[in-house]
Amino acid sequence: MAKFVFITGGVVSSLGKGLASAALGALLQARGYTVRLRKLDPYLNVDPGTMSPFEHGEVFVTDDGAETDLDLGHYERFTGVAARNTDSISSGRVYSNVLAKERRGDYLGKTIQVIPHVTNEIKDFIDIGEDEVDFMLCEIGGTVGDIEGLPFFEAIRQFANDKPRGDCIFMHLTLLPYIAASGELKTKPTQHSVKELRSIGIAPDVLVCRSEGPIPAKEREKLALFCNVRPDSVIAAQDLKSIYEAPLAYHREGLDRAVLDAFDMSHAPAPKLDRWNDVHERIVNAEGQVKIAIVGKYTQLEDAYKSIAEALTHGGMANRTKVKIEWVDAELFDQDDAAPYLQGFHGILVPGGFGERGTEGKIKAAQYARENKVPYLGICLGMQMAVIEAARNKAGLTDAGSEEFDHEAGGKRFEPVVYHLKEWIQGNEKVQRKADDEKGGTMRLGAYDASLVEGSRVAQAYGSTAIEERHRHRYEVDVKYREQLEACGLKFSGMSPDGRLPEIVEWQDHPWFIGVQFHPELKSKPFEPHPLFADFVRAAMDTSRLV
């Protein structure tokens, strides 16, 4: 049965629990163990699917169609283990399940309470698939002391008591602030955080301390004494130039050894870190640089495009070059010429999004890339905007637009070359949707197959004509415009297996211009860059040599 590591946070949020969890998973894998990582979020949304990117960052989508926290992206990128619907849960989903059971009468007339009913639901979730792996790493969102998180902390406390002794340990991540005025690294916030954790019955076995620099021996001993952990279980998590240095940095600090010692597994195999040494070498010894513009409308919060930024980094690793990303707000040139904002870039990427705001700027970005022969990668909405640009400026459909914008405005203004997707095939079943359906979980979500045209640029990039990619959309390019658009040179080079849904378009007379309806960034990894991003960065390098 699996050993469980529960990762909690204290002092402040956004310290990097997800990254620490992912790096630990990678280190345990390097020692020959199998791992699975899970995220337990205290917010009351059923999932992040209906949250604004400004609220929560990007929504990460799994193969089986779950909309999850962006930390699951870190888990996949570091371990290569595909996340599942059972790897992410929120308070909202827990309470929904409990209330559904109450309505069915499953509790036999009992009074429904947080303890035991809500905590039991959380424990049941944690236990799913425990016989499949050697280690189950469970990250608790938020920080200790948050009122919404209390049921989760109580659940993991109970869970550890239910399991045989030595099957569960607790890892607590805190902040060690440096006070420049006094020149001191302060341990008191961490002491108070651990005190709060111990007050609810959880004693950390490993303490991971985020700091700007190394932790001196004096402070390390002080933390060990007052937080009741072994000195070698106080791990420094220093600021790094790249997140992909984390596995090697944590190994040097002894994180994996501290965790294994806590499980009394002192004779574990030595880690094989060749994969991460190669990743580090590609980062450190990158030659040259390309500039990529990400033209979006959530650019004020970079986490909104987290997977895209990481996939571009991976594309750079594949080509041993540094990718410099610049965030360009699409609204800047909704009404103006795009050229002053986009000149000097070696590649333009237009990501997904929802709603009409900023879309005219995205259309102009696609036009600029097409006319100036700049490599272009359009993802989801970015593909749709490229199709609308082609329809308006090449196919003579001057009123071309998306049905999404008309639905938002409440009146018909456009010829809908992009329409609301009403039905599609999922497995062996037909899925049907209406425009006024509830928003949560009603999109075309998860992994779907696509068939590529032999000899097309995307087929060359993938090295195959059959692919599977993850989707998250409810609007789709209308295939009835295919003939008009292909006559202008915009080739439909990828389709759903039944030939009804366009998946990929590309300009035939362009060095590199591709739009995809799916989200390739979700499957890219530092040790396995996605072929589209690798080829996009290669094309950007070719452009940089011409400038």
Side-chain angles (χ1 to χ4, degrees), residues 369-370 372-376 457 507-513:
R370 175 178 61 80
N372 293 278
K373 306 298 184 185
V374 178
Y376 176 93
R457 185 173 293 283
W507 280 108
Q508 293 178 280
D509 61 349
H510 193 285
W512 208 100
F513 190 112

Side-chain angles (χ1 to χ4, degrees), residues 315-376:
M317 291 179 190
N319 291 280
R320 291 187 176 273
T321 192
K322 182 179 180 182
V323 177
K324 182 182 180 183
I325 296 169
E326 291 194 20
W327 308 90
V328 181
D329 189 341
E331 289 186 273
L332 289 174
F333 44 88
D334 258 352
Q335 307 299 328
D336 301 328
D337 182 18
Y341 300 95
L342 298 178
Q343 285 174 345
F345 287 105
H346 307 128
I348 295 170
L349 189 151
V350 176
F354 295 90
E356 189 173 2
R357 182 176 63 83
T359 53
E360 289 300 322
K362 292 185 175 186
I363 290 168
K364 288 181 180 178
Q367 181 179 2
Y368 177 87
R370 175 178 61 80
E371 292 176 348
N372 293 278
K373 306 298 184 185
V374 178
Y376 176 93

Side-chain angles (χ1 to χ4, degrees), residues 3-5 7 20-37 78-79 134-137 169 171 247 251 255-261 263 265 268-273 276:
K3 302 285 188 183
F4 289 84
V5 182
I7 300 100
S21 304
L24 175 59
L27 289 173
L28 291 172
Q29 277 186 327
R31 289 179 178 270
Y33 297 110
T34 55
V35 299
R36 179 161 289 282
L37 291 97
F78 277 75
T79 67
D134 299 317
F135 286 91
M136 195 79 78
L137 279 56
I169 69 165
M171 184 172 110
H251 176 65
L255 175 62
D256 46 332
R257 171 52 56 201
V259 166
L260 291 168
D261 284 349
F263 282 117
M265 298 172 66
K272 296 179 180 178
L273 297 169
W276 292 105

Side-chain angles (χ1 to χ4, degrees), residues 328-467:
V328 181
D329 189 341
E331 289 186 273
L332 289 174
F333 44 88
D334 258 352
Q335 307 299 328
D336 301 328
D337 182 18
Y341 300 95
L342 298 178
Q343 285 174 345
F345 287 105
H346 307 128
I348 295 170
L349 189 151
V350 176
F354 295 90
E356 189 173 2
R357 182 176 63 83
T359 53
E360 289 300 322
K362 292 185 175 186
I363 290 168
K364 288 181 180 178
Q367 181 179 2
Y368 177 87
R370 175 178 61 80
E371 292 176 348
N372 293 278
K373 306 298 184 185
V374 178
Y376 176 93
L377 176 56
I379 295 174
C380 198
L381 185 67
M383 167 187 166
Q384 296 171 8
M385 297 304 97
V387 170
I388 290 172
E389 189 278 322
R392 288 181 184 178
N393 299 321
K394 298 291 283 184
L397 302 172
T398 55
D399 293 330
S402 172
E403 212 171 35
E404 178 180 7
F405 311 151
D406 280 345
H407 287 162
E408 188 177 13
K412 182 168 172 53
R413 297 167 295 155
F414 298 111
E415 180 167 353
V417 296
V418 176
Y419 73 106
H420 181 263
L421 188 57
K422 297 172 181 64
E423 64 178 45
W424 65 88
I425 301 300
Q426 185 171 9
N428 296 318
E429 297 181 4
K430 182 187 289 185
V431 180
Q432 294 185 314
R433 292 282 185 261
K434 299 190 295 293
D436 58 353
D437 279 349
E438 293 180 350
K439 297 298 183 189
T442 59
M443 289 183 275
R444 186 174 181 235
L445 290 165
Y448 289 87
D449 294 333
S451 300
L452 310 186
V453 173
E454 189 83 46
S456 62
R457 185 173 293 283
V458 286
Q460 292 170 10
Y462 276 101
S464 174
T465 56
I467 62 170

Side-chain angles (χ1 to χ4, degrees), residues 4 6 123 126-127 155-163 168:
F4 289 84
F6 294 104
K123 290 193 291 182
I126 294 170
D127 227 7
I156 63 174
R157 183 196 68 78
Q158 292 181 20
F159 188 91
N161 282 340
D162 294 343
K163 290 292 180 184
C168 301

